[in-house]
């Protein structure tokens, strides 16, 4: 949002200057311009403040830096919330807290690009079911952040699994399900206090079975061709809407006093995608449907940043690479519906091996607790199929590629100097079932410590209940 | 490389399949018997049956050796609670035999019998089989009735007769989900269950299709429940809340002959001692650690380990399409406190014992079916896999619908390209 915000401020500055000039130089103008209508693109700003941290040096660890490098016996130094340096030996100022990580591993924090924590929280009662505004197929006007219940115990469980950031998406009932929000996984009282500063918004779209099942007997779409007609009409409407605003801008710039178009929150989000401010993340299983969607993408000149689930991505990995679209995948889920019937265990490594962007995602309040194991399965399934990817490259599926698809890779997703100190120290190689996240740091603050029960999150909902404060 | 491997496997299929006597030599063997785990041992197979396991690597005369040095050898895994053979694709994809709707022949649901419905050609069979699942308990998952029909124990061999044991158990849910189906309250579901059982005990010995009968159960339900009441077929009771589980224990005390098994049991660790005392085994998914409802507040990954610690017999493996992930579930139970060999037992001999089949499946005991898996390493490690699977002494072909799909599309990624990172 920083960029957008900046652009907006500049725009407003320009407008003010123009208005002042117009006033002073042409007081006799027949039509005096009304104040220019401009839209606040960030009405629910982040109120996130990092946990207090202290300069820390972790020594004697195996490091995966998240961008393809491995250091067998290395050190990680972070201070003031940022990674300062990683290397085999580092010299650091006196008085720095030192953590001896003998035999342990350090990786970037895991970023899950597909979570419904908070919008489909536990307990999964009807009163908490806030993830699908399933009233009509196009609801780009709704924002997942307005449904997020920060007391969802799932955030704390995910933290214990090394999740440091996550994208909360609306569900997939609708063609356009609404805006997503990226959160820092530091449980807090309000959504705003968890909101990732400066992360762009996403827009959830959905292919295939879900929209046609939900709307098939409610006015449609009831077919896949109906789905595609729905996307195209909506994008076309968004273009029309944008032209009205462009006209307003142009008229205003020309000194006229135009009437601002009526805001349409649905089309505003879609126009935001066409302007490049909002990133499309699209639920799509089948290869043939993904190929059609990439053509729709070209027709309306926007970018799909990820296909979510992408169970058949392995069939079109070359086309995905060519179009620069990421695939966010499970390691081995399959068969729960027809569009998931062709799932295979080698999907992730095959997409990676074709030079396309592979991401391991969860879409599950259980899976999000063990995404390292999901990557480990995909990694080893690839090896058995003759695709030998080093573990230091495979970690890209868990941090760097997710960060890139979300537009936050300049801030997190790898252990590079100057980036947020979002990292995990694991008890062992995180490609093992038996490894546990021992220390989870977010912006340099210790958010979770396996060995300190006081650090285990207990949300309001679990307070005073059976199992409060237990190891989970 | 892949092709070569495949050829090697196929060759071994044709050669080994002909051998009548096989010795699997040199592996670390989890026996599932009093022999425990042997570091370097030999498993002897005579045709379709296990002969025995012995320490060392000597191969008796007449046996064809199969090298398992550096590998792990276990009995074929037993899916503890599945819908295998009853469902191909669950949602919007036609008939699903694990879902039963209202029918006048049954009043309480006990009469339904899945042994008629099991499809050995289901793609799930091959997909699960190559990953070491060789048999499973399977039953109805969705019904509005009190009981979820009569489940069966099946083999995943893919052969024409998949049912090893029909009418092997009956399931019932007394937790939130069960209460929701039966009167919306535990105050209804327990009264219904108690009286359905009492009625079977009091029913005339012979109850034919034309006998006059007025009861909560239909005549067919009564006949289906007789083995349960007699203790010959276990009654699987789903419950999560500690208070519900105490009711299950009280039920067992009221009906000591009934072979009660607790299913899911997210808060079972809270009443672990009582469960152990009542000799009630538990089938769980140890990864459930979230309060999906108010009956699951105490859910924790420590459940499996704590139950074992108290002396409760634990079985792991509640899944269908991905029953192959039961090894991962068990591995996570180990990561949270369950001993490794106990977790292996939870995947093999414990479910076999629960279903009254301990001499037949789930262990490498003399006379058991020769269902054996040779693993690349520790079966509970997510990075290891089943390399060779034998069912009834025959090496199964390492193929499945998924493997064929993978091979078909392999060429697209044959030439590795530099990975792309979008900014």
């Amino acid at each position: 949002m920083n960029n957008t915000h900046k652009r907006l401020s500049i725009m407003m500055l320009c407008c003010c200057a123009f208005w002042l000039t117009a006033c002073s130089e042409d007081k006799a103008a027949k039509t005096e311009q009304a104040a220019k209508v401009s839209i606040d693109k960030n009405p629910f700003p982040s109120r996130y403040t990092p946990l207090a941290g202290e300069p820390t040096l972790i020594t004697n660890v195996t490091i995966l830096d998240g961008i393809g490098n491995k250091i067998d016996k290395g050190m990680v130094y972070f201070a003031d919330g940022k990674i300062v340096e990683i290397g085999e030996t580092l010299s650091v100022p006196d008085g720095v807290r030192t953590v001896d990580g003998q035999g342990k591993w350090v990786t970037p924090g895991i970023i899950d690009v597909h979570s419904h924590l908070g919008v489909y929280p536990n307990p999964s009662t009807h009163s908490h079911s806030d993830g699908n505004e399933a009233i009509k197929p196009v609801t780009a006007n709704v924002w997942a952040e307005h449904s997020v219940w920060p007391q969802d115990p799932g955030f704390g469980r995910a933290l214990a699994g090394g999740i440091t950031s996550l994208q909360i998406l609306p569900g997939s009932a609708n063609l356009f399900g609404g805006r997503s929000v990226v959160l820092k996984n530091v449980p807090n009282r309000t959504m705003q206090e968890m909101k990732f500063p400066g992360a762009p918004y996403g827009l959830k779209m959905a292919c295939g079975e879900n929209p046609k099942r939900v709307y098939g007997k409610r006015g449609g779409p009831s077919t896949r061709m109906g789905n595609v007609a729905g996307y195209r009409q909506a994008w076309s409407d968004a273009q029309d809407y944008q032209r009205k605003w462009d006209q307003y801008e142009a008229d205003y710039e020309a000194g006229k006093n135009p009437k601002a178009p009526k805001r349409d929150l649905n089309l505003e989000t879609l126009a935001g995608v066409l302007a490049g401010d909002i990133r499309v993340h699209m639920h799509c299983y089948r290869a043939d449907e993904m190929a059609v969607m990439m053509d729709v993408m070209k027709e309306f000149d926007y970018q799909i940043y990820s296909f979510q689930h992408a169970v058949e991505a392995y069939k079109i990995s070359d086309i995905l690479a060519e179009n620069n679209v990421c695939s966010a995948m499970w390691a081995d889920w399959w068969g729960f519906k027809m569009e998931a019937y062709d799932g295979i265990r080698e999907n992730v490594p095959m997409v990676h091996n074709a030079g396309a962007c592979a991401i391991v995602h969860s879409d599950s309040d259980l899976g999000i607790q063990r995404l390292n194991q999901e990557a480990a399965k995909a990694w080893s399934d690839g090896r058995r199929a003759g695709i030998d990817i080093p573990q230091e490259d495979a970690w890209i599926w868990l941090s760097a590629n997710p960060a890139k698809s979300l537009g936050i890779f300049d801030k997190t997703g790898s252990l590079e100097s100057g980036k947020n100190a979002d990292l995990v120290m694991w008890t062992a190689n995180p490609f093992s079932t038996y490894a546990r996240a021992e220390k989870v740091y977010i912006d340099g603050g210790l958010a979770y410590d396996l060995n300190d029960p006081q650090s285990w999150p207990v949300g309001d909902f679990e307070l005073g209940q059976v199992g409060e404060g237990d190891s989970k | 490389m892949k092709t070569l491997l495949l050829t090697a496997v196929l060759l071994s299929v044709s050669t080994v399949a002909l051998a009548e006597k096989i010795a699997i030599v040199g592996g670390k063997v989890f026996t599932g018997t009093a022999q425990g785990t042997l570091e370097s041992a030999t498993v002897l197979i005579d045709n379709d049956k296990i002969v025995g396991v012995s320490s060392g690597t000597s191969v008796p005369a007449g046996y064809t050796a199969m090298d398992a040095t550096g590998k792990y050898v276990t009995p074929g895994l037993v899916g503890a609670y599945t819908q295998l053979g009853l469902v191909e694709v669950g949602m919007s994809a036609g008939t699903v035999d694990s879902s039963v709707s209202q029918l006048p022949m049954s009043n309480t649901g006990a009469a339904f019998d899945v042994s008629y419905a099991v499809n050995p050609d289901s793609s799930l069979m091959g997909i699960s089989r190559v990953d070491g699942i060789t048999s499973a308990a399977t039953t109805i998952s969705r019904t509005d009735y009190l009981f979820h029909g009569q489940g069966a124990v099946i083999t995943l061999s893919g052969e024409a007769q998949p049912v090893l044991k029909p009418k092997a158990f009956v399931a019932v849910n007394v937790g939130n989900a069960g209460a929701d189906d039966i009167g919306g309250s535990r105050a209804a579901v327990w009264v219904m269950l108690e009286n359905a059982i009492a009625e079977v005990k009091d029913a005339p010995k012979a109850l034919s299709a034309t006998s006059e009968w007025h009861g909560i159960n239909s005549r067919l339900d009564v006949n289906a429940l007789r083995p349960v009441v007699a203790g010959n077929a276990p009654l699987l009771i789903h419950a999560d809340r500690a208070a519900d589980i105490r009711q299950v224990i009280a039920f067992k005390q009221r009906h000591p002959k009934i072979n009660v098994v607790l299913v899911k049991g997210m808060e079972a660790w809270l009443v672990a001692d009582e469960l152990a005392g009542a000799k009630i085994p538990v089938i769980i998914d140890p990864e459930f650690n979230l309060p999906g409802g108010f009956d699951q507040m105490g859910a924790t990954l420590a459940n499996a380990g704590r139950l074992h610690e108290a002396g409760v017999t634990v079985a792991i493996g509640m899944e269908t399409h991905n029953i192959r992930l039961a090894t991962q579930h068990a591995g996570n139970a180990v990561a949270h406190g369950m001993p490794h060999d106990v977790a292996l037992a939870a995947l093999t001999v414990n479910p076999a014992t629960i279903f009254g089949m301990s001499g037949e499946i789930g262990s490498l005991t003399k006379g058991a079916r020769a269902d054996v898996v040779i693993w690349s390493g520790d079966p509970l490690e997510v990075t290891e896999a089943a390399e060779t699977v034998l069912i009834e002494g025959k090496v199964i072909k390492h193929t499945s619908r998924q493997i064929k799909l993978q091979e078909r599309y392999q060429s697209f990624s044959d030439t590795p390209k530099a990975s792309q990172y979008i900014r």
Side-chain angles (χ1 to χ4, degrees):
Chain A
M1 288 309 296
N2 277 347
N3 286 340
T4 337
H5 208 73
K6 203 181 294 168
R7 202 187 311 167
L8 194 68
S9 313
I10 292 165
M11 190 181 84
M12 287 171 73
L13 277 173
C14 293
C15 294
C16 283
F18 180 80
W19 187 77
L20 286 172
T21 330
C23 282
S24 56
E25 284 181 7
D26 191 10
K27 283 182 183 169
K30 281 175 194 167
T31 53
E32 205 167 306
Q33 282 192 310
K36 185 166 178 199
V37 175
S38 61
I39 290 164
D40 180 1
K41 291 186 176 180
N42 188 21
F44 308 95
S46 170
R47 294 172 54 85
Y48 169 77
T49 48
L51 296 168
E54 54 185 327
T56 304
L57 177 73
I58 304 178
T59 61
N60 291 319
V61 282
T62 304
I63 302 166
L64 303 181
D65 72 353
I67 48 170
N69 303 300
K70 181 182 179 188
I71 301 172
D72 281 325
K73 199 170 174 64
M75 299 183 180
V76 179
Y77 175 48
F78 54 92
D80 303 323
K82 307 290 183 202
I83 304 284
V84 178
E85 207 178 354
I86 65 168
E88 287 183 353
T89 50
L90 303 177
S91 53
V92 300
D94 291 339
V96 163
R97 170 182 283 270
T98 302
V99 177
D100 183 359
Q102 181 64 46
K104 295 169 184 176
W105 289 53
V106 169
T107 67
I110 299 174
I111 300 169
D112 189 1
V113 298
H114 196 124
S115 173
H116 299 298
L117 292 181
V119 300
Y120 283 120
N122 280 286
S124 57
T125 54
H126 179 69
S127 45
H128 271 166
S129 174
D130 290 321
N132 269 311
E133 183 66 6
I135 53 153
K136 56 183 177 180
V138 183
T139 61
N141 54 326
V142 304
W143 299 20
E145 65 194 51
H146 302 145
S147 281
V148 168
W149 182 50
Q151 299 298 340
D152 183 351
F155 289 113
R157 304 290 197 279
L159 182 61
I163 300 289
T164 52
S165 300
L166 66 173
Q167 174 172 238
I168 310 301
L169 289 158
S172 50
N174 299 352
L175 300 177
F176 295 86
R179 289 198 196 191
S180 68
V181 63
V182 181
L183 301 179
K184 287 272 186 180
N185 194 22
V186 182
N188 211 319
R189 302 167 302 170
T190 65
M191 171 277 295
Q192 291 90 332
E193 286 162 302
M194 298 175 72
K195 195 169 181 177
F196 197 117
Y201 277 108
L203 171 64
K204 174 74 176 289
M205 293 177 64
C207 289
E209 287 187 30
N210 289 5
K212 75 186 211 97
R213 185 179 61 250
V214 173
Y215 296 101
K217 290 175 182 163
R218 291 205 268 146
S222 70
T223 60
R224 284 182 164 82
M225 57 186 175
N227 287 352
V228 175
Y231 312 126
R232 298 177 72 223
Q233 188 59 58
W235 290 127
S236 173
D237 292 348
Q239 287 175 329
D240 185 54
Y241 180 71
Q242 189 57 52
R243 280 193 289 268
K244 285 179 185 157
W245 276 95
D246 290 347
Q247 186 63 51
Y248 170 75
E249 296 279 346
D251 287 351
Y252 202 95
E253 298 294 321
K256 296 179 191 168
N257 188 26
K259 186 171 184 294
K262 183 179 186 303
R263 274 180 82 180
D264 180 317
L265 296 182
N266 179 57
L267 296 174
E268 192 170 294
T269 293
L270 297 180
V273 171
L274 298 180
D277 297 335
I278 298 172
R279 298 179 164 221
V280 169
H281 299 282
M282 185 157 202
H283 160 116
C284 222
Y285 286 74
R286 264 175 31 185
D288 54 315
E289 284 189 276
M290 287 190 268
V292 168
M293 289 317 303
M294 286 186 277
D295 279 349
V296 173
M297 166 181 106
K298 288 175 203 158
E299 182 186 8
F300 291 95
D301 192 25
Y302 63 97
Q303 179 67 33
I304 298 171
Y305 281 83
S306 70
F307 283 121
Q308 297 287 319
H309 312 325
V311 158
E312 293 186 7
Y314 67 95
K315 297 184 182 179
I316 50 160
S317 50
D318 53 337
I319 307 175
L320 290 161
E322 188 184 303
N323 283 284
N324 211 18
V325 180
C326 292
S327 303
M329 298 162 279
W330 294 294
D332 45 28
W333 287 24
W334 75 282
F336 42 91
K337 47 183 170 171
M338 281 309 293
E339 59 193 8
Y341 195 51
D342 286 5
I344 64 168
R345 304 188 82 153
E346 297 80 4
N347 197 22
V348 174
M350 284 171 75
V351 168
H352 176 101
N353 211 40
C357 161
I359 292 171
V360 172
H361 78 340
S362 82
D363 189 20
S364 158
D365 52 13
L366 294 177
I368 195 172
Q369 300 181 41
R370 282 172 287 280
L371 276 181
N372 57 311
Q373 291 179 22
E374 297 306 298
K377 288 187 287 184
W379 170 80
S380 66
D381 289 327
R383 275 166 65 95
R384 278 185 290 277
I387 303 170
D388 205 352
I389 299 165
Q391 289 182 340
E392 53 268 34
D393 280 347
W395 198 273
I396 287 164
W397 309 334
L398 294 171
S399 304
N401 280 352
K404 285 164 186 167
S405 82
L406 297 177
I408 53 175
F409 189 58
D410 56 332
K411 302 175 182 69
T412 187
S414 65
L415 302 180
E416 293 175 278
S417 299
K419 283 206 174 173
N420 295 348
D422 298 340
L423 58 123
V424 182
M425 184 172 84
W426 304 87
T427 56
N429 181 343
F431 287 74
S432 163
T433 319
Y434 309 123
R436 307 263 311 262
E438 184 172 321
K439 290 184 193 295
V440 183
Y441 296 94
I442 301 181
D443 287 310
L446 183 57
Y448 176 85
D449 185 341
L450 177 64
N451 300 314
D452 176 14
Q454 293 301 314
S455 78
W456 301 346
V458 178
D460 293 354
F461 177 69
E462 294 191 291
L463 201 61
Q465 305 266 23
V466 170
E468 173 195 337
D470 195 7
S471 72
K472 297 291 183 182
Chain B
M1 168 78 173
K2 177 78 187 171
T3 327
L4 274 175
L5 265 173
L6 198 72
T7 319
V9 170
L10 287 174
L11 275 173
S12 70
V13 170
S14 50
T15 50
V16 175
L18 293 172
E20 294 183 332
K21 293 181 167 185
I22 300 170
I24 300 171
V25 186
K28 180 172 180 175
V29 181
F30 169 80
T31 61
T33 70
Q35 284 181 291
T37 300
L38 305 174
E39 277 304 324
S40 177
T42 299
V43 180
L44 299 181
I45 296 168
D46 186 350
N47 283 300
D48 56 343
K49 295 286 194 287
I50 299 290
V51 175
V53 185
S54 55
S55 281
T57 55
S58 64
V59 179
Y63 282 83
T64 306
M66 200 178 214
D67 186 26
T69 309
K71 316 276 185 193
Y72 227 110
V73 180
T74 71
L77 308 189
V78 182
Y81 198 85
T82 79
Q83 279 75 54
L84 284 171
L86 305 177
V87 56
E88 190 65 31
V89 174
M91 190 190 284
S92 307
T95 307
V96 174
D97 291 310
S98 56
S99 173
V100 180
S101 48
Q102 298 275 333
L103 204 66
M105 72 171 193
S106 176
N107 296 331
T108 58
F112 303 122
D113 185 350
V114 303
S115 63
Y116 294 105
V118 178
N119 175 20
D121 297 326
S122 159
S123 72
L124 283 75
M125 296 291 190
I127 287 164
S128 308
R129 186 166 66 216
V130 295
D131 282 328
I133 316 291
T134 56
S135 58
T138 189
T139 195
I140 292 161
S141 60
R142 198 172 301 158
T143 168
D144 294 337
Y145 289 99
L146 177 68
F147 297 109
H148 297 187
Q150 302 166 82
V153 178
I154 61 169
T155 174
L156 274 67
S157 66
E159 286 168 10
Q161 303 299 331
V163 176
L164 299 177
K165 187 173 190 177
K167 306 174 194 293
F169 61 97
V170 170
V172 59
N173 190 321
V174 299
N176 279 0
D180 289 348
D181 288 343
I182 307 296
S185 165
R186 289 166 173 81
V189 74
W190 273 106
V191 174
M192 178 110 167
L193 174 60
E194 200 54 57
N195 284 280
I197 294 295
E199 193 177 273
V200 176
K201 289 183 175 179
D202 291 345
K205 286 268 182 308
L207 199 56
S208 78
T210 52
S211 308
E212 190 174 338
W213 172 254
H214 310 281
I216 310 170
N217 298 288
S218 72
R219 286 181 299 255
L220 296 174
D221 292 328
V222 170
N223 288 332
L225 288 169
R226 288 186 202 273
V228 170
V229 168
N232 296 326
L235 181 64
L236 273 53
I237 308 184
H238 287 247
D240 284 319
R241 190 167 80 179
D244 292 341
I245 299 170
R246 288 189 199 101
Q247 292 295 340
V248 172
I249 295 166
F251 175 86
K252 168 76 179 172
Q253 283 158 353
R254 289 194 296 272
H255 308 281
K257 272 183 87 173
I258 296 183
N259 189 355
V260 172
V261 179
L262 179 66
V263 180
K264 220 152 130 264
M266 290 201 204
E267 291 187 355
W269 63 274
L270 283 162
V271 281
D273 291 336
E274 295 92 321
L275 284 166
K279 295 194 166 22
I280 296 176
V282 183
I283 300 172
I284 60 170
D285 180 337
E287 291 184 356
F288 287 150
N289 70 338
L290 279 160
F294 285 102
D295 59 344
Q296 302 170 346
M297 292 304 304
T300 166
L301 275 151
N303 196 19
R306 289 173 184 171
L307 285 167
H308 164 72
E309 181 81 21
V312 178
T313 299
V314 177
I316 292 172
M318 300 182 65
E319 248 286 7
T320 297
H321 284 82
N322 266 342
I323 186 64
R324 59 191 180 175
L325 300 186
T327 47
Q328 186 185 4
H329 302 168
N332 280 297
V334 172
H336 291 80
M338 181 177 247
H340 189 270
D341 57 336
V342 175
L344 284 175
L347 297 169
T348 52
V349 62
N350 290 357
T353 304
I354 283 170
F355 298 109
M357 299 190 70
S358 58
E360 296 160 72
I361 54 174
S363 74
L364 304 179
T365 195
K366 184 176 165 54
R369 285 167 60 93
D371 297 352
V372 186
V373 185
I374 304 173
W375 305 82
S376 59
D378 176 359
L380 308 187
E381 271 290 9
V382 281
T383 49
E384 305 293 349
E387 284 187 341
T388 307
V389 179
L390 294 91
I391 297 185
E392 287 200 287
K394 291 192 182 72
V395 174
I396 62 147
K397 278 189 189 170
H398 185 76
T399 189
S400 71
R401 188 170 177 276
Q402 290 191 0
I403 291 170
K404 283 173 183 270
L405 277 165
Q406 193 276 325
E407 287 167 354
R408 170 170 286 185
Y409 287 94
Q410 170 85 49
S411 62
F412 279 98
S413 58
D414 259 354
T415 319
K417 296 168 190 72
S419 200
Q420 232 172 307
Y421 309 121
I422 57 165
R423 284 271 173 182

